[in-house]
Amino acid sequence: DTAVSQTPKYLVTQMGNDKSIKCEQNLGHDTMYWYKQDSKKFLKIMFSYNNKELIINETVPNRFSPKSPDKAHLNLHINSLELGDSAVYFCASSQDIAGGSEQYFGPGTRLTVT
Amino acid sequence: LAKTTQPISMDSYEGQEVNITCSHNNIATNDYITWYQQFPSQGPRFIIQGYKTKVTNEVASLFIPADRKSSTLSLPRVSLSDTAVYYCLVGDNYGGATNKLIFGTGTLLAVQP
C-alpha cells in the first residue's frame, strides 16, 4: 500500500497552460505539504495544510494554489505555467503540525514546461 | 530563519562509518533537527530526529552538541545501498511557522566497494 501517492508522475506542458497535480495519503495524517525541488536538488516548502488551515510560504507565486477536498487529499493547481516552474514537486504528510513531526513523502511529479 | 549548511558531497567505502555534519547557527529554541535520505527519482525518507544530545535508532545516530548550532548524522558500516543524498532539516512547523521548515542543500554520499 502506498502511503502518499501523487499523480501524474510526469507532466509535460506548454507555457501559459493551467495544470493540476493530485496527492493522496492513506496514513490518517492531519497535515499535508507541497515541496518544490529544483534542478539543483534544493527542497523548498511551498505550503502546508492542517485542519483546513493553509500556511503559505510567502515566496510562492499566487499562480500556485493548493486545494484540499478532504483531509486525505491536497491537490496543487498551477495557473499560467512558466519555464521556471519546471521542477519535481513532492507531496508529503505528517501526523500533525506539532514541532518536528516526521514527514512522509510521495514519489514526486516531474513537471516540464516547454 | 535557521539556515543550514552541509557539505555538497562525501565519498566512503563499504563498511566504513560516515559522519555528515550540518551547521545551523541560527537554530531557534523550538526547532527540531531531522535528517532525511533521498534516492534518485524518489521522495525523501525520514532517517532520524533529535532536539539535543544523542539519538540512536536502528539505522543511524544523531549527535547534537549543547549549543545545538550543528548536528552530525552518523551512519555505521555503510553499504553501496546507502549511496544517496542526505538532507538536514531544521525547523518547527508548529503554530503556523511552516515556512520556517528549511532543508539543507543536501550531501551526496557516494559509497564505493
Side-chain angles (χ1 to χ4, degrees):
Chain A
D1 290 340
T2 303
V4 181
S5 59
Q6 297 178 227
T7 54
K9 188 170 178 62
Y10 300 97
L11 182 56
V12 180
T13 187
Q14 292 182 333
M15 288 174 56
N17 285 348
D18 303 337
K19 290 294 180 183
S20 295
I21 307 172
K22 295 183 178 181
C23 177
E24 177 181 2
Q25 55 96 2
N26 62 8
L27 298 167
H29 287 168
D30 289 336
T31 306
M32 296 184 72
Y33 312 82
W34 276 106
Y35 285 86
K36 177 181 180 180
Q37 186 171 45
D38 61 23
S39 58
K40 295 184 178 180
K41 305 299 183 184
F42 294 129
L43 262 173
K44 297 180 180 179
I45 190 166
M46 302 176 71
F47 308 99
S48 70
Y49 204 89
N50 179 67
N51 289 333
K52 300 186 178 181
E53 181 184 8
L54 175 65
I55 310 299
I56 300 173
N57 186 324
E58 63 273 11
T59 66
V60 176
N62 57 15
R63 297 181 295 103
F64 292 80
S65 57
K67 298 277 194 300
S68 181
D70 55 59
K71 196 174 76 168
H73 298 84
L74 184 64
N75 304 323
L76 182 64
H77 298 272
I78 315 171
N79 295 324
S80 302
L81 279 156
E82 301 177 357
L83 292 177
D85 298 333
S86 295
V88 180
Y89 292 84
F90 287 101
C91 175
S93 72
S94 63
Q95 181 63 51
D96 52 42
I97 204 166
S101 291
E102 177 183 344
Q103 296 181 49
Y104 293 77
F105 284 78
T109 296
R110 182 173 294 277
L111 171 65
T112 303
V113 182
T114 62
Chain B
L1 300 180
K3 180 180 177 180
T4 61
T5 304
Q6 304 175 230
I8 294 175
S9 63
M10 296 182 69
D11 293 323
S12 183
Y13 292 95
E14 283 191 293
Q16 289 187 332
E17 178 185 77
V18 171
N19 296 311
I20 306 174
T21 297
C22 179
S23 297
H24 28 81
N25 292 323
N26 296 326
I27 190 169
T29 303
N30 293 331
D31 287 345
Y32 283 77
I33 301 161
T34 312
W35 284 81
Y36 286 83
Q37 176 192 56
Q38 186 179 27
F39 296 112
S41 301
Q42 295 185 23
R45 185 181 68 169
F46 173 91
I47 301 175
I48 196 167
Q49 181 183 83
Y51 183 80
K52 62 181 179 181
T53 64
K54 176 184 175 182
V55 179
T56 298
N57 63 20
E58 63 275 9
V59 297
S61 294
L62 179 59
F63 299 91
I64 305 170
D67 64 8
R68 304 203 324 126
K69 293 185 176 182
S70 66
S71 58
T72 299
L73 173 71
S74 180
L75 304 173
R77 299 178 297 283
V78 295
S79 63
L80 294 177
S81 62
D82 291 319
T83 294
V85 178
Y86 292 83
Y87 289 96
C88 164
L89 170 63
V90 174
D92 172 14
N93 54 352
Y94 182 75
T98 301
N99 61 345
K100 296 182 180 179
L101 285 175
I102 306 294
F103 270 87
T105 52
T107 298
L108 174 59
L109 172 64
V111 180
Q112 301 176 22

